């Protein structure tokens, strides 16, 4: 019998406990697929005495000394399912420097300081795999890292946060406001007690950084990602999107192309945007994730599935455990990154996008011409203008209706323009006395 591959599991919560369960239930198949059995050398947790139900593992394997476990000579593979920057970074750098293979689900660490891990892996020739860190169960990083290496990826557009997708889908289906939809997500277990990382877009930004790094062979960190969350999205925005045949999604977008000087660069951003209902990402509902990849030769590819949850995430973790174990047995490693392109990051102001702007204006002669003049001054071309009822927030029709105090709502959709020009246009509109308020500003993606 071939010598077992010995695993140090760090963390035994939502993901870790499912990994333990699957290691037990699928032991025979995993052994056959790898060519050696997998053995749990130890499991590091925070609370040793915590009741872990009927987990099929010897209680003696639990320890609170994660670093001690990582350093043990009888450990071949370290599987990190704790999260956060420290002490996870110290554990993983230690493991990689010692030549141990690492599998991690930790998007926050990879996005903040993936460079430290990649460098440590490259120096010692150890494997570093992290499929579960983006879009849970969906095989996505392996296709970017391996299958598409013969192609040139131009754009990655994704729905990579299940909580916000659940909230926006609920708002779209029921007309609920953000707070009401968040409450529902919390009740159903889709949102955490503190939902900040999800609703403010931090989680999606971390994933965007990981995707952009792999897609464009460039080190991208979370700090390079332009980010807006969904807390400002209103029921009126959703209704307005509906009126245009669109829905609103929190998108992560990573694209390559020329910057203002013509040099090749990449832009990485996360924000809520309107997309047409005909776009493949529009039908991704509930807490599902999907990522749309565009490549020069392959064309358009779509990856879809469960982006979170214990069992789906454990599936991705175990796939990585099998891969690194096979590599150990074969005495090889898969390079974890190629950052040779080192492309510069394009500032958000240079991102070419479209805006949907809803203005509450005085309903009198000359207003439209004044508003149009502001757009023209910033070289932003208007695609459509719709005037609607002020009393309904601008979402019920196309005929001019005078609202309270002689107001009207103008709904303007622009053609593509640099984000800086669009932002400057909105700023100038805000200062006009004929503009009572700007009800909503949303970007439009996907060719409406
Ligand atoms: N949950 C998902 O759906 C999902 C999806 C994709 C990726 N991920 C990623 O997977 C990782 C784990 O997520 P999770 O949802 O499983 O988290 P979780 O349920 O909160 O579990 C965290 C585990 O880490 C242990 N832990 C915490 N601090 C520790 C320390 N200082 N030393 C040793 N152990 C410590 C905890 O011990 P106790 O059990 O004793 O408290 C617990 O077992 C995170 O990086 C997360 O971003 C999660």
């Amino acid at each position: 019998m071939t010598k077992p591959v010995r695993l140090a599991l760090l963390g035994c919560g939502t993901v870790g406990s499912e990994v333990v369960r699957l290691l037990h239930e699928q032991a025979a198949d995993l052994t056959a697929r790898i060519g050696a059995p997998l053995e749990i050398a130890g499991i590091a947790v925070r609370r040793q005495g915590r009741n872990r139900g009927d987990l099929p593992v010897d209680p003696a394997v639990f320890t609170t000394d994660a670093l001690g476990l990582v350093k043990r000579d009888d450990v071949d593979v370290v599987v990190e399912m704790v999260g956060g920057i420290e002490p996870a970074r110290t554990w993983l750098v230690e493991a990689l420097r010692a030549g141990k293979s690492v599998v991690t689900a930790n998007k926050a660490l990879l996005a903040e300081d993936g460079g430290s891990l990649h460098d440590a892996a490259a120096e010692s020739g150890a494997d570093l795999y992290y499929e579960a860190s983006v879009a849970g169960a969906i095989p996505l990083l392996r296709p970017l890292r391996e299958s598409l290496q013969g192609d040139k990826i131009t754009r990655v557009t994704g729905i990579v946060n299940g909580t916000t997708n659940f909230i926006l889908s609920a708002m779209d289906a029921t007309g609920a406001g953000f707070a009401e939809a968040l409450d529902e997500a919390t009740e159903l277990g889709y949102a955490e007690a503190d939902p900040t990382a999800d609703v403010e877009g931090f989680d999606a930004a971390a994933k965007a950084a990981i995707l952009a790094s792999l897609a464009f062979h460039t080190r991208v960190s979370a700090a390079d990602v332009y980010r807006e969350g969904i807390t400002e999205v209103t029921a009126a925005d959703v209704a307005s999107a509906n009126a245009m045949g669109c829905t609103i999604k929190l998108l992560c977008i990573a694209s390559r192309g020329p910057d203002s000087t013509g040099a090749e660069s990449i832009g990485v951003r996360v924000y809520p945007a309107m997309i047409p209902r005909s776009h493949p990402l529009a039908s991704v509902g509930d807490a599902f994730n999907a990522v749309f990849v565009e490549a020069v030769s392959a064309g358009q590819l779509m990856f879809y599935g469960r982006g979170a949850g214990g069992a789906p995430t454990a599936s991705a973790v175990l796939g990585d455990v099998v891969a690194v174990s096979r590599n150990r047995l074969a005495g090889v490693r898969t390079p974890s990154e190629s950052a040779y392109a080192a492309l510069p990051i394009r500032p958000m102001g240079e991102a070419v996008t479209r805006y949907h702007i809803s203005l509450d204006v005085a309903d009198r002669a000359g207003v439209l011409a004044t508003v149009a003049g502001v757009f023209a001054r910033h070289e932003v071309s208007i695609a459509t203008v719709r005037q609607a009822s002020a009393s309904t927030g601008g979402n019920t029709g196309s005929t001019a209706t005078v609202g309270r105090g002689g107001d009207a709502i103008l709904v303007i959709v622009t053609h593509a323009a640099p984000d800086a020009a669009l932002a400057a246009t909105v700023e100038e509109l805000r200062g006009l006395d004929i503009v009572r308020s700007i009800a909503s500003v949303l970007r439009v993606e996907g060719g409406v």
Side-chain angles (χ1 to χ4, degrees):
M1 179 64 139
T2 317
K3 211 163 105 329
V5 177
R6 303 264 297 162
L7 310 179
L9 305 186
L10 310 182
C12 192
T14 307
V15 179
S17 59
E18 279 303 318
V19 166
V20 170
R21 207 176 298 283
L22 290 172
L23 280 170
H24 177 75
E25 285 170 10
Q26 299 184 16
D29 284 326
L30 292 169
T31 302
R33 289 172 196 168
I34 294 166
L38 295 174
E39 265 182 26
I40 297 177
I43 306 178
V45 291
R46 189 176 34 194
R47 295 163 288 176
Q48 189 143 11
R50 183 181 176 187
N51 178 4
R52 298 183 195 273
D54 57 352
L55 215 54
V57 68
D58 178 356
V61 297
F62 286 100
T63 173
T64 51
D65 181 10
L67 189 58
L69 175 60
V70 165
K71 285 181 168 173
R72 266 168 54 179
D73 288 339
D74 64 337
V75 165
D76 303 305
V77 178
V78 172
V79 187
E80 189 265 315
M81 300 164 290
V82 172
I85 310 302
E86 284 294 353
R89 174 170 44 201
T90 301
W91 300 333
L92 299 191
V93 168
E94 173 73 32
L96 291 163
R97 284 199 182 133
K100 292 168 188 178
S101 314
V102 163
V103 172
T104 176
N106 192 335
K107 60 215 146 197
L109 174 56
L110 282 155
E112 163 112 359
D113 191 16
S116 297
L117 304 187
H118 289 300
D119 288 346
E123 276 163 30
S124 71
D127 264 331
L128 170 61
Y129 272 61
Y130 43 99
E131 184 65 67
S133 66
V134 182
I138 307 173
L140 174 62
L141 304 194
R142 206 74 63 80
L144 293 179
R145 201 169 134 161
E146 295 176 15
S147 321
L148 287 163
Q149 285 301 299
D151 210 326
K152 181 176 179 177
I153 295 171
T154 52
R155 190 177 165 99
V156 178
T157 311
I159 295 172
V160 291
N161 181 271
T163 306
T164 47
N165 203 48
F166 180 90
I167 292 169
L168 291 172
S169 299
M171 289 172 75
D172 188 63
T174 66
F178 169 75
E180 202 184 323
L182 172 60
D183 284 347
E184 191 191 346
T186 311
E187 260 168 49
L188 294 173
Y190 288 117
E192 292 182 22
D194 177 1
T196 311
D198 293 318
V199 299
E200 294 292 359
F202 290 104
D203 175 81
K207 293 163 178 172
I210 296 169
L211 289 175
S213 302
L214 287 173
F216 305 128
H217 306 278
T218 294
R219 280 193 180 172
V220 180
S221 75
D224 296 320
V225 181
Y226 176 84
R227 177 194 53 78
E228 287 176 23
I230 65 162
T231 53
E232 308 283 312
V233 177
T234 64
D237 291 333
V238 174
S240 212
N242 258 310
M244 280 176 58
C246 291
T247 186
I248 299 175
K249 295 291 185 190
L250 181 69
L251 298 181
C252 90
I253 302 170
S255 61
R256 70 183 290 163
D259 66 11
S260 55
T261 68
E264 189 76 346
S265 64
I266 58 178
V268 195
R269 46 207 208 259
V270 167
Y271 46 63
M274 291 185 179
I275 53 170
R277 289 201 181 271
S278 57
H279 192 283
L281 290 175
S283 57
V284 177
D286 294 330
F288 279 86
N289 282 194
V291 177
F292 193 66
V293 177
E294 294 166 72
V296 172
S297 305
Q300 299 180 332
L301 305 161
M302 173 112 148
F303 300 82
Y304 170 85
R306 292 194 184 279
T313 310
S315 162
V317 169
L318 274 181
D320 282 356
V321 168
V322 169
V324 302
S325 300
R326 284 175 173 161
N327 277 358
R328 287 193 84 80
L329 260 60
V332 298
R333 95 176 259 262
T334 309
S336 58
E337 75 164 349
S338 74
Y340 73 90
L343 293 170
I345 309 290
R346 205 163 48 237
M348 181 58 195
E350 291 184 19
V352 174
T353 172
R354 302 174 64 198
Y355 271 26
H356 168 284
I357 304 164
S358 192
L359 301 171
D360 184 348
V361 295
D363 192 31
R364 57 172 192 253
V367 166
L368 192 53
T370 307
V371 167
V374 175
F375 282 82
R377 249 194 311 287
H378 294 281
E379 298 182 14
V380 174
S381 146
I382 293 174
T384 61
V385 182
R386 190 163 57 89
Q387 187 173 345
S389 163
S391 57
T392 58
N395 55 45
T396 59
S398 56
T399 47
T401 314
V402 178
R404 84 200 118 70
D407 290 4
I409 297 283
L410 282 184
V411 180
I412 296 168
V413 180
T414 73
H415 283 299
D419 200 79
L422 290 159
T425 305
V426 172
E427 212 35 55
E428 188 174 339
L429 289 171
R430 231 182 267 285
L432 294 182
D433 59 357
I434 52 161
V435 174
R436 310 262 194 251
S437 68
I438 298 188
S440 104
V441 179
L442 273 168
R443 294 183 181 84
V444 183
E445 298 286 342
V448 181

